[in-house]
Amino acid sequence: METNTTPFYHNNTNVFGNYSDEYAQLRKSLNIMSVVVYCLAFVLGVLGNGVVIWVTGFKMKKTVNIVWFLNLAVADFLFTAFLPLSVTYTAMDFHWPFGNFMCRVNSTITSLNMFASVYILMVISVDRCVSVVWPVWAQNHRNIRTASYVSLGVWVLALTLSAPYFIFRDTFTYSENTTLCFNNFALSDDYETPSVIELRNFRHQAMTITRFLLGFVVPFTVIVSCYAVIIHRLRRNCNLASKSSRPFKIIAAVITTFFLCWAPFHIVLLIELVNFTGSQTFGYVLSIVIPIATSLAFLNSCLNPLLYVFMGQDFKDKARKSILNVLKTAFQEEETHSHTDTKTADTSQTNDNRSKDKSVSDVQV
């Protein structure tokens, strides 16, 4: 029978659960690694993103940048808050004790985090590009209300793209003490009828390819395009480059980190699609790579707060300033200037602002 006994994102292979004795130790080591990474991501993610939400939501003056980073922190916090379920599932050798509904919810939250995060990063990149290329238009139309509506639209889109994972997620008990949480793409317990197997494989491929395109290729194509335009414009205007340096570096670091954490995950799942021959050797390789790629993707949700702190200002300053001031520096909103602006009122306003604010396969959960 085809059961998805690997961690959350593994899709149609049946490697885990069918190990020979010689691979038992490898499986155990991979489980321990995953549990350690999940625990680390949970502690750092809940605390770090919780602080970011508290500061950006209640302690800082609202700006467009604050709206973006607040929503990004909410997505990461929501995901990391559910990680204890993944820790328990993995520690219990992929036995899901929380019931069918929570199996569906947990998987949906993971997908929601992935889609929401990448599209918020895309929106940030577009916003940055518009501010640099069309500064006058941005100054007149870029406001907190519009940013809030755009953020709401991102969440609706992410929830829509994540809905299939709620529909297809299912549980299966194959012994008294083992219940799997897996993707039942056929919505059927029939694992023998050719037409059902074909439907299952088709939906598996469609879901994986759609997730790769809409959750990775499309948003990152937009992001790279925006930053190509930004870099080209900054090279032509040194004054503009100096004003955008700090926020540009922080946003670029967040996007680069997201790419490095999630790219292996998407690539591995695409490679997994070719394993319909049931090759045992290929399955063993996937059984090693998938937990590593998944752990790396999960780890991304706790890294952003660290980037905000360590890139918000010089290290010596961080030692003397509070977390609030560090985050203020990281999220500081630079003023939008046109190329024909004079150096009078803009210069004094910039100096005033500086003085005040310088300061994530089927069974893996």
Side-chain angles (χ1 to χ4, degrees):
M1 185 183 76
E2 208 175 62
T3 60
N4 302 309
T5 52
T6 59
F8 170 68
Y9 289 104
H10 192 189
N11 293 308
N12 265 347
T13 57
N14 57 0
V15 178
F16 279 21
N18 294 318
Y19 276 109
S20 59
D21 291 340
E22 61 182 300
Y23 289 94
Q25 186 60 42
L26 173 60
R27 178 185 179 185
K28 182 178 179 181
S29 299
L30 290 171
N31 287 358
I32 294 174
M33 177 210 68
S34 296
V35 169
V36 171
V37 172
Y38 295 172
C39 289
L40 180 64
F42 168 69
V43 174
L44 295 180
V46 169
L47 292 178
N49 289 296
V51 170
V52 173
I53 292 172
W54 176 69
V55 172
T56 58
F58 304 100
K59 296 296 181 179
M60 294 179 66
K61 180 181 178 180
K62 289 293 184 294
T63 65
V64 174
N65 276 353
I66 293 300
V67 173
W68 303 144
F69 286 108
L70 174 60
N71 280 272
L72 190 59
V74 169
D76 288 337
F77 181 87
L78 186 62
F79 168 71
T80 53
F82 276 78
L83 275 179
L85 301 182
S86 302
V87 172
T88 303
Y89 185 41
T90 307
M92 296 180 68
D93 200 17
F94 303 110
H95 164 62
W96 183 262
F98 304 108
N100 186 280
F101 179 75
M102 288 306 299
C103 169
R104 297 172 184 269
V105 170
N106 192 50
S107 301
T108 304
I109 291 295
T110 304
S111 299
L112 181 65
N113 166 258
M114 179 190 69
F115 285 116
S117 296
V118 73
Y119 280 105
I120 290 172
L121 293 176
M122 185 187 75
V123 167
I124 291 174
S125 302
V126 173
D127 174 60
R128 183 71 46 187
C129 183
V130 170
S131 298
V132 171
V133 178
W134 298 288
V136 176
W137 186 92
Q139 191 172 18
N140 294 330
H141 297 86
R142 186 174 179 267
N143 54 65
I144 298 172
R145 183 176 182 179
T146 301
S148 299
Y149 284 138
V150 171
S151 298
L152 178 60
V154 168
W155 282 102
V156 172
L157 175 61
L159 189 60
T160 301
L161 294 174
S162 301
Y165 297 93
F166 184 88
I167 296 172
F168 291 125
R169 205 66 174 174
D170 200 1
T171 55
F172 173 79
T173 301
Y174 64 89
S175 70
E176 290 184 2
N177 299 320
T178 304
T179 298
L180 300 179
C181 177
F182 72 111
N183 285 333
N184 186 359
F185 288 115
L187 299 176
S188 170
D189 294 332
D190 182 358
Y191 294 91
E192 297 180 358
T193 304
S195 60
V196 176
I197 295 175
E198 183 179 356
L199 175 62
R200 178 180 288 107
N201 291 337
F202 172 77
R203 286 177 175 172
H204 169 210
Q205 295 178 61
M207 289 282 288
T208 302
I209 294 173
T210 299
R211 176 170 51 198
F212 176 68
L213 293 177
L214 298 183
F216 191 75
V217 174
V218 171
F220 267 99
T221 299
V222 175
I223 290 171
V224 171
S225 300
C226 287
Y227 273 88
V229 173
I230 291 172
I231 292 172
H232 175 71
R233 183 58 61 95
L234 293 182
R235 284 179 176 177
R236 296 172 54 186
N237 191 322
C238 296
N239 185 46
L240 184 62
S242 63
K243 294 172 182 176
S244 301
S245 177
R246 182 176 58 239
F248 178 87
K249 289 179 179 179
I250 294 173
I251 295 171
V254 171
I255 292 171
T256 301
T257 301
F258 187 94
F259 176 85
L260 294 176
C261 288
W262 282 96
F265 161 78
H266 288 287
I267 293 172
V268 167
L269 291 190
L270 284 179
I271 295 175
E272 185 194 22
L273 287 179
V274 306
N275 192 33
F276 291 115
T277 60
S279 170
Q280 189 176 33
T281 301
F282 193 73
Y284 286 145
V285 173
L286 282 176
S287 70
I288 298 172
V289 176
I290 286 177
I292 297 174
T294 305
S295 296
L296 184 61
F298 281 20
L299 197 60
N300 175 254
S301 294
C302 71
L303 295 180
N304 288 344
L306 300 178
L307 293 175
Y308 302 152
V309 171
F310 288 105
M311 295 191 66
Q313 56 198 30
D314 294 334
F315 183 78
K316 291 182 180 179
D317 290 339
K318 290 196 293 288
R320 298 193 302 264
K321 294 182 179 180
S322 65
I323 293 178
L324 175 59
N325 286 335
V326 171
L327 292 175
K328 280 184 177 180
T329 303
F331 300 140
Q332 181 175 327
E333 183 95 9
E334 80 276 13
E335 294 296 321
T336 302
H337 299 271
S338 66
H339 298 305
T340 58
D341 284 347
T342 62
K343 297 182 180 180
T344 55
D346 288 337
T347 302
S348 61
Q349 184 176 4
T350 301
N351 291 335
D352 289 340
N353 288 337
R354 288 177 178 175
S355 64
K356 294 178 182 178
D357 293 329
K358 198 170 183 179
S359 11
V360 212
S361 268
D362 277 355
V363 181
Q364 180 164 352
V365 184

